[in-house]
C-alpha cells in the first residue's frame, strides 16, 4: 500500500513536470512564430529550438570550471577544432560595424588583401546595414552570421571600426592592423573561438556575477543579467560568473559558427530587436555572453602568454618570461608616472615662487639641485628600460614567427611541418 502511494505521488510529480515543460515549449514556440522575421528570409524550423539541435552537448558551467581538471578536459574536447590539412590556406573575412561618419580607410590602406564585410549601423540606405540600429555590434555580428550561414569562410574576424584603441593588444601597439596580420589561422581553427584581446583586465577571470543582488552603477548589466540569461539560455542554469577579456572583438572558425543552429542566431537577433534594455546594457551582456554561446564555458580566459604566442606569434619563451617582461613594462610605466607628477609639481612650485609669495619655502615642492639630479636619474632609468623592453619585444616577435617555437611554448605537439 505504502509503495503504491509513493508510486502515485512520484508519477503525479513527473506528470506535473512534464506539463510545465510542455507548456513552456508551447509558449516559446508561439513566441518565436509570432515575431517578425528579419534579414534574408530563411527556411528554418524555429519551433524545436534547443541546444541539442546543434548536436553539441554542453555541460553546466560552474564558477570553478577554469580551475578544475575535469572541466579542463571537457573544455579541451570542446575546443579541439580540426585544422585544415597541412599546407592548406584559410579563407578569412573581417566583419566590421561602422557608423556613417567613421573613417575606416585604414582597412583598405593597410589590409588590401583581406575580404571585408562592412555594415553601416546608422544608414539604412547603405548597401549593407542591419535591420535596425540597435544593440551595437551584437546586431551586426548576428546579421552577418544569419546572412552568410551557408557560405561562411574558414575564419570570420569580428572587429570594431577603429584601428587604434586602448583595448587592443598593447604588445601589438594597440593596433588592429597588426592584430589581424599576426592572427594565426591555425590557432583560430584549433580553438574555434578566439578573443582578439589577450590581456585579462578587464573581463577575466570573472567579471559579471549574475546572482549579485547588489546594485552596482559600474556594472548595471549585472542587475538584469539573470533575467536576460533565462531568456537567452532557457535550458542552462545561470552561471555564478561570466568572464572573458573585454570588448567584443573575436575570431571564429566556420565549424564553430555552424555548431550553433541558424534558428538560434535568429532567435538572439530578435531578442536584441525586442529587448527593452538600453543598447549599453544589452551590448555589455553580450560582451560576456559570446564565449558561452560558442564554447559552452562561462569563463574563457586563456593564459596571456599562450594567447599572445599561439594566437599572434609574440613568444617570450614561457609564462615566466612573459611575466618578467610585463614587470619591466609596469616598472617603466610607474617611473613615467612619477616623472610626470614631479614635473607638474615642479612647474607649479616654480610658478608659485615667481610671485614671491609662497613658493620656495615649501620644501616638498622643490628640493633644490638634488631634485634635478634625481629626475635626471629617473629619465635615464626610463630610457634604459625602454631599450630593454623594445629589444625583448622584438625578440618575442622573431621567436613567434617560427611555428615550432609557438607549438613548444604552448605545450602543443610539434608536427615538424610549417604551419601558418
Ligand atoms: C581617414 O583617415 C586617413 C588616415 O588613416 C586619412 O589619411 C584620411 O584623410 C581620412 N579621411 C577623411 C575623410 O577624414
Ligand atoms: C606644499 O606642496 C604640497 C604638494 O604639492 C602641498 O600638498 C602642500 O599643501 C604645500 N604646502 C604649502 C604650505 O603650500
Amino acid at each position: 500500500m505504502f509503495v503504491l502511494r509513493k508510486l502515485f505521488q512520484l508519477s503525479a510529480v513527473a506528470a506535473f513536470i512534464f506539463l510545465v515543460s510542455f507548456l513552456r515549449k508551447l509558449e516559446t514556440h508561439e513566441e518565436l512564430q509570432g515575431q517578425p522575421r528579419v534579414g534574408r528570409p530563411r527556411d528554418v524550423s524555429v519551433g524545436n529550438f534547443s541546444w541539442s539541435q546543434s548536436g553539441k552537448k554542453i555541460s553546466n558551467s560552474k564558477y570553478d570550471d577554469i580551475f578544475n581538471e575535469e572541466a579542463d578536459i571537457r573544455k579541451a574536447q570542446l575546443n579541439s577544432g580540426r585544422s585544415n590539412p597541412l599546407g592548406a590556406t584559410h579563407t578569412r573575412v573581417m566583419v566590421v560595424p561602422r557608423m556613417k561618419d567613421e573613417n575606416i580607410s585604414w582597412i583598405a590602406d593597410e589590409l588590401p588583401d583581406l575580404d571585408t564585410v562592412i555594415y553601416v549601423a546608422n544608414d539604412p540606405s547603405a548597401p549593407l546595414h542591419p535591420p535596425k540600429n540597435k544593440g551595437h555590434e551584437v546586431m551586426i555580428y548576428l546579421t552577418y552570421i544569419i546572412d552568410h550561414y551557408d557560405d561562411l569562410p574558414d575564419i570570420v574576424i569580428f572587429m570594431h571600426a577603429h584601428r587604434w584603441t586602448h583595448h587592443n593588444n598593447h604588445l601589438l601597439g594597440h593596433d588592429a592592423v597588426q592584430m589581424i596580420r599576426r592572427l594565426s589561422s591555425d590557432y583560430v581553427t584549433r580553438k574555434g573561438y578566439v578573443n582578439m584581446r589577450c590581456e585579462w583586465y578587464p573581463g577575466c577571470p570573472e567579471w559579471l556575477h549574475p546572482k549579485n543582488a547588489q546594485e552596482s552603477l559600474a556594472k548595471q548589466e549585472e542587475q538584469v543579467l539573470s533575467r536576460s540569461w533565462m531568456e537567452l539560455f532557457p535550458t542552462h542554469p545561470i552561471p555564478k560568473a561570466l568572464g572573458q577579456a573585454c570588448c567584443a572583438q573575436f575570431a571564429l572558425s566556420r565549424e564553430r559558427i555552424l555548431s550553433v543552429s541558424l534558428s538560434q542566431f535568429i532567435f538572439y537577433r530578435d531578442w536584441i530587436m525586442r529587448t527593452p534594455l538600453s543598447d549599453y546594457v544589452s551590448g555589455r551582456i553580450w560582451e560576456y555572453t559570446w564565449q558561452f554561446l560558442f564554447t559552452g564555458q562561462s569563463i574563457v580566459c586563456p593564459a596571456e602568454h599562450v594567447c599572445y604566442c599561439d594566437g599572434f606569434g609574440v613568444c617570450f619563451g614561457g609564462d615566466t618570461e612573459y611575466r618578467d617582461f610585463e614587470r619591466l613594462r609596469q616598472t617603466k610605466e610607474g617611473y613615467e608616472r612619477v616623472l610626470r607628477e614631479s614635473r607638474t609639481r615642479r612647474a607649479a612650485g616654480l610658478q608659485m615662487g615667481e610671485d614671491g609669495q609662497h613658493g620656495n619655502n615649501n620644501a616638498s615642492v622643490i628640493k633644490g639641485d638634488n631634485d634635478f639630479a634625481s629626475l635626471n636619474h629617473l629619465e635615464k632609468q626610463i630610457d634604459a628600460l625602454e631599450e630593454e623592453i623594445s629589444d625583448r619585444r622584438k625578440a618575442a616577435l622573431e621567436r613567434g614567427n617560427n611555428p615550432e617555437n609557438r607549438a613548444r611554448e604552448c605545450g602543443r605537439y610539434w608536427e615538424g611541418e610549417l604551419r601558418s
Side-chain angles (χ1 to χ4, degrees), residues 345 352 358-359 361-365:
R345 265 205 313 274
M352 280 200 285
H358 328 272
N361 52 11
N362 189 340
S364 73
V365 174

Side-chain angles (χ1 to χ4, degrees), residues 359-377:
N360 290 344
N361 52 11
N362 189 340
S364 73
V365 174
I366 300 179
K367 291 185 226 124
D369 289 343
N370 273 344
D371 199 33
F372 259 129
S374 67
L375 286 192
N376 276 344
H377 182 61

Side-chain angles (χ1 to χ4, degrees), residues 61-76:
S61 308
K62 286 199 189 70
Y63 154 71
D64 52 7
D65 265 4
I66 47 165
F67 304 116
N68 101 34
E69 212 175 25
E70 193 194 328
D72 276 345
I73 293 166
R74 275 208 311 276
K75 204 183 324 185

Side-chain angles (χ1 to χ4, degrees), residues 325-340:
F325 174 86
E326 277 300 283
R327 217 167 289 130
L328 275 188
R329 203 174 63 85
Q330 278 157 17
T331 307
K332 181 185 147 241
E333 281 178 5
Y335 285 0
E336 281 169 341
R337 218 168 15 248
V338 171
L339 189 66
R340 250 193 328 271

